[in-house]
Amino acid sequence: MKTLALFRHAKSDWSDARARDFDRPLNERGQRGAIAMGRHIRNGRWRFDRIIASPAVRVAETIETASRAWGRAFPVEWDRRIYLASSATLIDLLREMDGDPESVLMVGHNPGLEDLIFDLVPDDGSSPLREIVERKFPTATFAVLELAIDRWEDLDLGCARLVELTRPRDLDATLGPELPD
């Protein structure tokens, strides 16, 4: 059994229309979301043998901010292939994992992370959490999948069970979608 946690970067800043997508930082709500999620992960039962992440600025800032909330810094393996990757690319990256860690935290982007959940968790009606992901996988969302594999190279479609899904608004209603006046 392997564990794969997925953490989508927090809300990014779109105020500079000239900035490259890769270089967009977090906005204020994103900072608050990363802090809330960092505290949530710290207080949970999850521990990670390896953290791999997209090197995009908004991902790096999400990790930095969440790590401060965890109360410690973690070594991160930056992998450019995660930046805006498809599910197929993410699966290939996980299959190539060196050292065969028991638990991995991947920090990245949509639609790749969301699609990875769809590819790994069977669509058989048995997962109410998957149904929530089908509606939306918002920024700063944290998901944990238990994989019915012994080695990462055995990762295959439909081999996972989604055991946790936490959105920022689940922790703080002000971090959810803006409501009409």
Side-chain angles (χ1 to χ4, degrees):
M1 177 80 65
K2 299 288 186 192
T3 301
L4 174 63
L6 304 174
F7 187 15
R8 184 175 175 204
H9 66 79
K11 196 85 164 152
S12 60
D13 187 356
W14 287 86
S15 64
D16 183 354
R18 295 173 298 158
R20 292 183 326 150
D21 179 73
F22 188 87
D23 297 325
R24 283 189 291 116
L26 296 183
N27 65 18
E28 185 272 332
R29 187 168 131 198
Q31 292 283 338
R32 291 187 303 115
I35 289 168
M37 201 56 65
R39 288 180 182 145
H40 169 75
I41 297 168
R42 175 194 67 207
N43 294 334
R45 62 184 173 128
W46 310 111
R47 301 295 172 259
F48 310 106
D49 299 322
R50 185 169 296 158
I51 300 174
I52 57 175
S54 161
V57 170
R58 60 192 178 273
V59 172
E61 288 186 2
T62 297
I63 293 169
E64 178 183 329
T65 304
S67 292
R68 282 197 309 271
W70 276 328
R72 63 181 270 222
F74 294 93
V76 177
E77 297 173 29
W78 305 103
D79 194 320
R80 180 95 182 186
R81 295 176 294 173
I82 298 173
Y83 175 67
L84 303 181
S86 68
S87 174
T89 298
L90 297 175
I91 288 171
D92 287 344
L93 188 147
L94 290 165
R95 285 179 180 151
E96 298 166 5
M97 185 81 51
D98 288 334
D100 213 33
E102 290 302 310
S103 60
V104 172
L105 170 61
M106 179 182 284
V107 189
H109 312 266
N110 257 6
L113 294 181
E114 181 177 292
D115 289 344
L116 185 60
I117 292 171
F118 296 149
D119 286 344
L120 296 179
V121 178
D123 184 13
D124 59 7
S126 67
S127 176
L129 296 178
R130 187 185 194 283
E131 293 173 14
I132 294 170
V133 175
E134 288 173 3
R135 288 191 294 275
K136 188 165 183 179
F137 192 74
T139 54
T141 293
F142 176 72
V144 180
L145 294 84
E146 290 181 346
L147 309 171
I149 58 172
D150 294 321
R151 300 173 314 189
W152 288 100
E153 64 188 29
D154 298 330
L155 186 65
D156 203 0
L157 303 180
C159 73
R161 191 168 63 95
L162 185 57
V163 297
E164 179 180 335
L165 180 70
T166 305
R167 302 163 298 182
R169 69 174 159 212
D170 298 331
L171 306 172
D172 178 347
T174 67
L175 296 172
E178 295 187 21
L179 301 172
D181 294 330

